[in-house]
Amino acid sequence: SYVDLIVKAAKSQSARDLVPDFVALMEQESKFNNGAKSWTNVKGLVQMTQGLASDLGLSREDITTPEKVIPAGFKHFKRLLGTFKSKEWTHIGWNAGWGVAEKLKRYGIDPGNWETTKGKLEQALRAFPKTYGPDKIPVKKKLKEVVKHVETIIRRTEEIKKAKAKE
């Protein structure tokens, strides 16, 4: 199962505590549909761009190969968390891109306080062009998606942890 592949990736990277976070991320990104494709042209279980896949040593086909994309995606998730030191910011980096998260950090937004971050995102994004990325996505649309994305994953992670504690 996909969860077994996540657990295996977590064990190999000494990060079992991140399993609920990555399960929630994958659920939000693709609803566990390996054929999922977003309006932003990302695809697969973890909704990975071709550029990121290449950076992680994956081919175009690997994006939809669970045995390859899950360990690579988990590694990237852990790397983002190591950089941003906050799960909320890790999810911003995942959804909007590492570069966007880095640029937002330069606006002095506290990565440890989601409510402050959320309140300042729109203000900070005014410094961005009206469109985002190579596909010219409207920034306001992307901002709403990022906020929803982060809040849904954080909520779902807590639900998964509570369910696991009851087992």
Side-chain angles (χ1 to χ4, degrees):
S1 78
Y2 296 146
V3 174
D4 292 337
L5 290 171
I6 294 169
V7 169
K8 184 177 177 182
K11 281 182 183 177
S12 75
Q13 296 176 47
S14 302
R16 279 192 59 104
D17 59 318
L18 296 179
V19 168
D21 301 277
F22 199 75
V23 169
L25 178 134
M26 203 161 85
E27 180 181 27
Q28 174 65 20
E29 290 290 345
S30 68
K31 304 292 185 249
F32 301 110
N33 175 0
N34 194 32
K37 186 173 180 186
S38 170
W39 60 274
T40 59
N41 207 27
V42 294
K43 56 186 166 182
L45 290 167
V46 298
Q47 295 292 281
M48 190 175 286
T49 65
Q50 185 57 52
L52 175 58
S54 295
D55 291 347
L56 295 172
L58 300 176
S59 70
R60 182 175 305 278
E61 295 77 29
D62 291 343
I63 291 176
T64 55
T65 304
E67 296 79 10
K68 292 188 179 184
V69 77
I70 290 174
F74 192 91
K75 182 178 181 179
H76 180 62
F77 180 78
K78 189 176 171 193
R79 188 173 66 183
L80 284 168
L81 184 58
T83 297
F84 295 114
K85 313 288 189 236
S86 152
K87 290 181 181 175
E88 291 85 356
W89 275 81
T90 296
H91 293 304
I92 291 171
W94 189 282
N95 188 265
W98 194 309
V100 170
E102 285 287 352
K103 187 170 184 178
L104 289 169
K105 273 181 66 176
R106 285 187 234 131
Y107 283 88
I109 299 172
D110 178 6
N113 184 324
W114 174 243
E115 291 305 315
T116 301
T117 296
K118 187 170 66 169
K120 291 184 176 181
L121 278 176
E122 189 166 351
Q123 175 187 351
L125 283 174
R126 286 188 198 128
F128 281 68
K130 289 186 191 235
T131 59
Y132 163 85
D135 296 326
K136 304 293 184 201
I137 300 161
V139 167
K140 285 189 179 190
K141 181 177 182 180
K142 186 62 183 176
L143 171 66
K144 288 178 184 175
E145 179 186 291
V146 169
V147 169
K148 180 182 174 190
H149 173 89
V150 171
E151 291 181 339
T152 300
I153 292 174
I154 296 301
R155 184 187 76 251
R156 186 65 185 122
T157 298
E158 290 308 311
E159 292 169 358
I160 292 168
K161 287 178 180 178
K162 284 179 187 174
K164 186 73 175 159
K166 288 181 182 179
E167 289 180 359

